[in-house]
Amino acid sequence: MAKIIAIVNQKGGVGKTTTAINLAASLGVLEKKTLLVDADPQANATSGVGYDPREVKASIYESLINGAPAADLVIGTDNPNLELLPGHIDLVGAEIEMIDMPEREHMLKKVLEPMRDLYDFIIIDCSPSLGLVTVNALTAADSVIIPVQCEYFALEGLGKLLNTVKIVQQRLNTALSIEGMLLTMYDSRLRLANQVVEEVKTHFQQLVFDTVVHRNVSLGEAPSHGQTVLMHDASCKGAVNYLNLAREILQKNQMTRIPEHERTIPVEQ
C-alpha cells in the first residue's frame, strides 16, 4: 500500500520540483517502487526525468477531467523503480473546469487510490500556488513535505501554508500529517543560511528533517539534461543529500530493512 506524499509550498523557487524528482529517484534506488505525479502545469518534473511535456500524449489532466485510468497514462523512466504520471500545461485549465464538478477537491484522490497497491510511494509535485489542484493533492496525500529555502523571507508565507494544511485536515482529509520541513539551498559559508536553519529548527523543532539539502551545481544542471541528480552525478553532495532524505523517511515510516549481515544473532542462554 503506497504512502502518498505531496511536496508543497506556494512560494516558487524553493526547490519543490528538485525535491520531488530526486526524492522519488532516491526511493527508487533504495528499492522502493515509486510513482512521481506531476501536478504542476509547468510540468518541470516531467521534463526533469527526460520527457518533453509537449510530446506527452496523455497526462494527469486526462485522469482529472476525462476520467482516464491513471494506470494507462503512467510512463517509465531511466531511473530504477521510478515511473511517472506526467504533467501538462493543460492543467492550468483544469482549475477552472473542476470548479463545478461534484467533490471537486477529491478528484486526484479518486485517480490515485487504485494506484496504491502498485507502489511503495507516490510523490506528488505541486504547483507554486494554493489553487484547486494543490488542494486536491493535499486531499489525496497521507503527508506533506514542505521545502524551505535557507534564504531571507524563508518563513514568509509558511504560516499561510500551514493554515491551508490545517483547513484541509479539518474539512477534507483528517488523516493528513506533516512528514517534515526540508531545508534546501543551504550554503554553510553564509551567516544568513545558518541563521535561517536555527530559526526554522527553533520554530518547528521535530517537524524539521535532519537532512539539509546543500546548494549544489549538479542539482541545478541535472534537469537541463533531463536527468535526476542520481543519474547525472551520483557522487555529488546533492545526490547524497536526497539519498539521506529518502533513508530518513524510510526510517520514520519504519520501512527500513536491516541487511542480513547486519542482523544481530540471538545469543543462546
Side-chain angles (χ1 to χ4, degrees), residues 216-219 229-230 232-242:
N216 180 250
V217 173
S218 293
L219 276 177
V229 73
L230 292 165
H232 181 64
D233 182 2
S235 62
C236 75
K237 192 172 268 186
V240 172
N241 291 159
Y242 279 109

Side-chain angles (χ1 to χ4, degrees), residues 1 10 25 40 42 66 71 73 96 114 130 146 159 204-205 247:
M1 187 86 161
Q10 79 272 28
D40 182 353
Q42 294 175 75
N66 302 325
L73 309 177
I96 299 154
L130 293 177
I146 303 170
F204 299 106
Q205 297 172 356
R247 287 192 186 99

